[in-house]
Amino acid sequence: MTVPYPRSDERRRMVDLQIAARGIRDSRVLAALREVPRHLFVPPPYDRDAYADAPLPIGRGQTISQPYIVALMTELLHPKSVDSVLEIGAGSGYQAAILSILVRKVVTIERIETVAAHARTSLEAVHADNVEIVLGDGTLGYSPGVPYNGIIITAATPEIPGPLKEQLAEGGRLVAPVGDRILQELVVLERHGNRFTEEHHGGVRFVPLIGKHGWED
Ligand code: SAH
C-alpha cells in the first residue's frame, strides 16, 4: 500500500465538504481529489490555504481554480481510463495531475514559459509521468496527439476555438468556460460526426484565454 502525501486529512475534508456535498458523484473523480497533494501546486505563502474553498494566485496574474470547479469540469469530461485528454491552460498543473490519474494520456498547453516551468516541477514531484506539457498557443490545439477523447479549456473564451472542435474524437467531450472577460458559463460540447450537442452548467469566472482564437494580449 502506498503512503498518502501529507495533509491527507485536509484533502478528505475538502472532498467531503466542498465537493461531494455539492453534488459531485463520480467516485473516481472524488478519489483523485483525495489523492493529489494540491499544496504542491500552490506557491508559498498561499500553499497554506491550498485546501480552502477558493481559487489562489500562482504568479504572473494567473490562478489555480477552486477545487470544486476542478472536480465539476473533470466529472463533466466523463474521463475513462483509456482516454487521451488535451488541456488548454496548464497553469499550476493541478488539473492535469487530477486527469493523469483518471486517463491514459494528458497533453496540457501553457503560453507563459515560467508558469509552464513551475507546472513541470510540480507534476514531476507527484510522478505524473503520463502528462506532456507543451509551450504555446493552445487555441490552435496540438495536432501530434489528435484525436482527443476529451478537451478541457481552463481559461475564459469568447467562443470555442474551431481547431479544438476539429481535434475532438467521435463521441468526445469538450468542457470550457464561454463568455466575456469577466463572467462565463460552463459549456460542454459532445461530438457526433460533424454535429455537436451542447449543455450548459452554470456561471464561472476564469482568467482570459489569450491567443489566435481567444482574446488579444
Ligand atoms: N488549469 C490550471 C488553471 C489555469 S489558469 C490549473 O489547474 O492550475 C489559466 C491558464 O491558461 C494560465 O496559466 C494562462 O497563462 C493560460 N493560458 C491563457 N491563454 C492560453 C493559451 N492560448 N494557450 C495556453 N495557455 C493559455
Side-chain angles (χ1 to χ4, degrees):
M1 200 179 129
T2 52
V3 179
Y5 286 100
R7 302 177 67 173
S8 59
D9 286 350
E10 287 177 80
R11 279 193 294 287
R12 191 167 323 117
R13 266 200 304 281
M14 172 187 86
V15 169
D16 291 350
L17 303 178
Q18 302 174 29
I19 295 171
R22 290 197 185 115
I24 304 298
R25 290 281 170 266
D26 185 326
S27 58
R28 295 175 71 237
V29 173
L30 298 176
L33 277 126
R34 266 187 227 106
E35 180 174 337
V36 176
R38 181 172 160 94
H39 62 276
L40 298 185
F41 293 83
V42 179
Y46 306 105
D47 56 339
R48 232 185 10 223
D49 302 324
Y51 299 99
D53 191 13
L56 293 168
I58 57 169
R60 299 293 301 268
Q62 307 304 321
T63 52
I64 180 173
S65 305
Q66 180 191 13
Y68 170 69
I69 295 297
V70 173
L72 175 61
M73 291 176 81
T74 306
E75 183 173 71
L76 289 173
L77 264 185
H78 296 177
K80 291 184 272 311
S81 55
V82 293
D83 284 356
S84 158
V85 170
L86 176 67
E87 179 188 28
I88 315 304
S92 68
Y94 177 69
Q95 172 76 70
I98 294 290
L99 287 168
S100 78
I101 292 175
L102 300 169
V103 303
R104 177 178 57 82
K105 168 84 189 171
V106 181
V107 176
T108 183
I109 311 182
E110 173 55 54
R111 64 180 282 272
I112 303 177
E113 194 165 359
T114 52
V115 171
H118 278 120
R120 183 165 290 116
T121 305
S122 302
L123 286 162
E124 279 170 8
V126 301
H127 311 289
D129 301 326
N130 58 344
V131 179
E132 181 182 347
I133 305 183
V134 175
L135 190 64
D137 177 7
T139 69
L140 303 170
Y142 186 65
S143 47
V146 164
Y148 299 98
N149 309 100
I151 299 181
I152 177 168
I153 308 177
T154 60
T157 183
E159 54 188 55
I160 311 277
L164 298 180
K165 290 168 76 170
E166 284 164 22
Q167 294 182 14
L168 198 58
E170 175 62 23
R173 287 166 71 83
L174 184 156
V175 181
V178 180
D180 59 33
R181 284 180 86 123
I182 315 268
L183 270 181
Q184 308 88 37
E185 192 170 33
L186 268 189
V187 171
V188 180
L189 299 187
E190 195 176 283
R191 182 168 199 169
H192 302 281
N194 286 327
R195 282 193 335 107
F196 292 86
T197 58
E198 186 169 327
E199 302 164 18
H200 292 247
H201 289 274
V204 286
R205 176 169 265 171
F206 277 81
V207 298
L209 182 74
I210 311 284
K212 180 154 188 241
H213 301 275
W215 274 291
E216 280 179 28
D217 205 347

